[in-house]
Amino acid sequence: MKSLRLLLIWAAAGLASGQAAERLAGEQSAFLRQYAASPVDWMPWGGAAVARAKSEQKPVFLFIGSFTSELAGDMRRQTFSNPKNAAWMNQHFICVIVDRDERPDVAALYESYVELVRQVTGWPLNIWLTPDFEPYEGATYLSPSEDWGAPGFLKLADQARSAWATSPAACRRRAHEAVVQLTPPPHPPPPAAWDAGKARTRLDADAAAWLSAYDPQTGGFGDIPRLPEPELIRFMLRRSAEDREAALRTLRALATSAVRDPLDGGFFKHGADAAWHIPYQQKTLSDQARIALAYLDAAKGADRRSFSECARGALDFALGRLALPGGLFSSAEDATGDGYAGYYTWASAEIDAALGADAASFKEAHGVQADGNIPASDDPSATYAHRNILRSTAEQTDRDRRDCALLLALRGRRPAPPVDTRATAGEYGLVLDALSRAGAELHEPRYLDAARRTLGAARAALLVSADGSLRRMPGSAVGAFADDYASLALGCRDYAAAAHDRAASALAGRLLAQMDARYFDAATGTYLGAPNPPGAGFFIRPVPADDPPSAESLAICAGSPRAMEVAGALSQSLDDSSAQAPGDQLLALAVYASR
């Protein structure tokens, strides 16, 4: 009998796997396609999933992750690939999967639930919903089994199943209470008018707070993981000599760190340690553009040559590694999976064999040690035992460039990390902005030519109509969001200034008009995370996630007609909050105050 049950479980999982493959294999999202072979009967977010849940009156399990989420990949491999787990999930839930990058509106909706109601933060999200798509249980990452006293996935999932089976009415009440808690007041107070004096006082206070979090030993702000914080650096560069020196020292530290890849010039997402010696092995298009903009802002005086080289490296990585035919871009290169742990590392003997007589000087310049350069105290899992992560130099010699090119070619023979081939409209805007400024400020026409190609590709792949309507990603049926419109408008504005292109300036105006029409909330002076109406499955219009740069900060920098209202509301929200303001908001307010 037990054998028969197991056979039925495997058969059900196999059938569901075929159904999921049929639904997901044709999706534009690389994240969703990763789940096409899953035995879980996944459905993409949309009207079909909503209709099925209401028809079958089954609870919904919603999983929200992204291509670049290491923990989402862990759950896919450890939990969702298990046929027994999958068959149980298929029996008790309608299983829905969402790409956070493609649907930031859905992600923001349920992120607010886990933060405000469940009091947890992080990604990915595991949410259990009523058939009306209202949440009654949720968590962030869940391990396959109990971990340090925290419930594992199956335990929490079974609690959600049992709660629904015992009393659907109680689950609906709990979900309704959550919805009420998440619903903003019907008549929020209008934002205060822009008060230049109060804004300066707040900017001074936040600059002082960030300066107190500055690490004078290694550069950088805040705790580990140590983020580059490019918008914060750009804000600090506009301020006092002490603030500016902290920003410059951070940029110098990054320039000579392992977060800057000496072989291809690209920047990793962040450093896992305070000394910037262990990079998080992921490089994104938006990070290259944002960091390049910070170095361009700072490329003056004694640092001009080395900082210009850093900006070039970031942009050349984007153009050389992430560029696609026709001017399009990939969004990210991700080597965080277990199979790629050694992709960016080298044994000392490998460098000796590759570089010969040059090896000794190369190893000294890039921090290579005979038995590896990562201390065991920083590497408890021994991932980098006896290996070296190369550190950059402020400026390269011709010999060093030659040696780096040789090692880059050797690294290219290793199995390449996965790449997410679709960038968002917002990412196109950031890279267009950085390329345009690099072309003008570094006096290098090749960057302006690349900006021209990027704008042409964005027009062709993302512009839906002449009025400025956009799609979120090339080939996607999902419309663009507020940050997409603002970022691309900013890129168009800076390209228009660099290339004297009136058409690009006019397009920027249309993009900002569309952004305001679709997403601006006049009552609060902010941009919401979904248009009105938001679509099937939404119980409120969510506030966007606070991933920098925000729609508000981008709109201000792009010169939106709503800039005064947005800046006033943003300044007021900072006054009302005890939290330290993020760098992108401070930069935007400083930009607005200087106009």
Side-chain angles (χ1 to χ4, degrees), residues 195-222:
D195 186 324
K198 284 184 66 176
R200 281 194 296 271
T201 300
R202 180 58 201 241
L203 293 179
D204 289 344
D206 276 294
W210 277 111
L211 191 61
S212 70
Y214 169 68
D215 185 341
Q217 300 301 316
T218 59
F221 300 87

Side-chain angles (χ1 to χ4, degrees), residues 205-415:
D206 276 294
W210 277 111
L211 191 61
S212 70
Y214 169 68
D215 185 341
Q217 300 301 316
T218 59
F221 300 87
D223 298 326
I224 58 173
R226 186 59 59 79
L227 302 174
E229 298 281 6
E231 288 80 23
L232 175 62
I233 288 172
R234 297 176 66 191
F235 166 68
M236 299 293 270
L237 287 171
R238 304 172 71 96
R239 298 190 51 80
S240 70
E242 187 179 11
D243 295 338
R244 180 176 175 81
E245 184 58 26
L248 292 172
R249 291 182 67 181
T250 298
L251 289 174
R252 292 174 193 137
L254 278 169
T256 57
S257 73
V259 171
R260 179 189 177 205
D261 188 334
L263 302 191
D264 61 27
F267 283 80
F268 293 96
K269 196 161 191 65
H270 58 71
D273 63 323
W276 311 96
H277 288 166
I278 307 175
Y280 186 70
Q281 296 193 15
Q282 191 177 93
K283 298 174 184 172
T284 71
L285 180 65
S286 62
D287 285 339
Q288 308 314 308
R290 293 166 61 210
I291 289 172
L293 288 168
Y295 275 108
L296 289 171
D297 279 3
K300 299 174 178 66
D303 293 302
R304 180 176 180 82
R305 182 172 174 178
S306 61
F307 285 1
S308 296
E309 192 63 28
C310 289
R312 289 189 190 94
L315 295 176
D316 289 348
F317 171 80
L319 293 172
R321 185 73 176 183
L322 298 178
L324 298 170
L328 295 175
F329 283 94
S330 294
S331 176
E333 178 181 85
D334 180 26
T336 57
D338 292 342
Y340 303 97
Y343 180 77
Y344 292 108
T345 68
W346 299 86
S348 178
E350 287 180 291
I351 295 174
D352 289 336
L355 302 184
D358 283 355
S361 61
F362 181 91
K363 290 194 292 185
E364 181 179 1
H366 296 283
V368 175
Q369 298 180 16
D371 196 40
N373 64 0
I374 303 301
S377 58
D378 288 336
D379 185 25
S381 61
T383 302
Y384 305 112
H386 315 297
R387 306 288 291 180
N388 292 273
I389 301 177
L390 302 180
R391 299 163 193 168
S392 280
T393 57
E395 295 182 39
Q396 285 186 307
T397 65
D398 289 341
R399 181 172 69 175
D400 193 56
R401 286 193 187 89
R402 184 177 64 247
D403 291 341
C404 284
L406 179 57
L407 291 180
L408 181 61
L410 290 176
R411 192 172 74 186
R413 299 176 188 174
R414 299 172 180 175

Side-chain angles (χ1 to χ4, degrees), residues 468-494:
S469 299
L470 293 174
R471 55 174 58 91
R472 170 74 169 169
M473 297 175 172
S476 176
V478 179
F481 296 93
D483 61 314
D484 294 313
Y485 282 100
S487 181
L488 193 54
L490 177 60
C492 286
R493 282 277 164 87
D494 279 352

Side-chain angles (χ1 to χ4, degrees), residues 9 40 50 105 276 353 502 508:
I9 286 172
V40 177
V50 173
D105 52 343
W276 311 96
R502 293 183 178 179

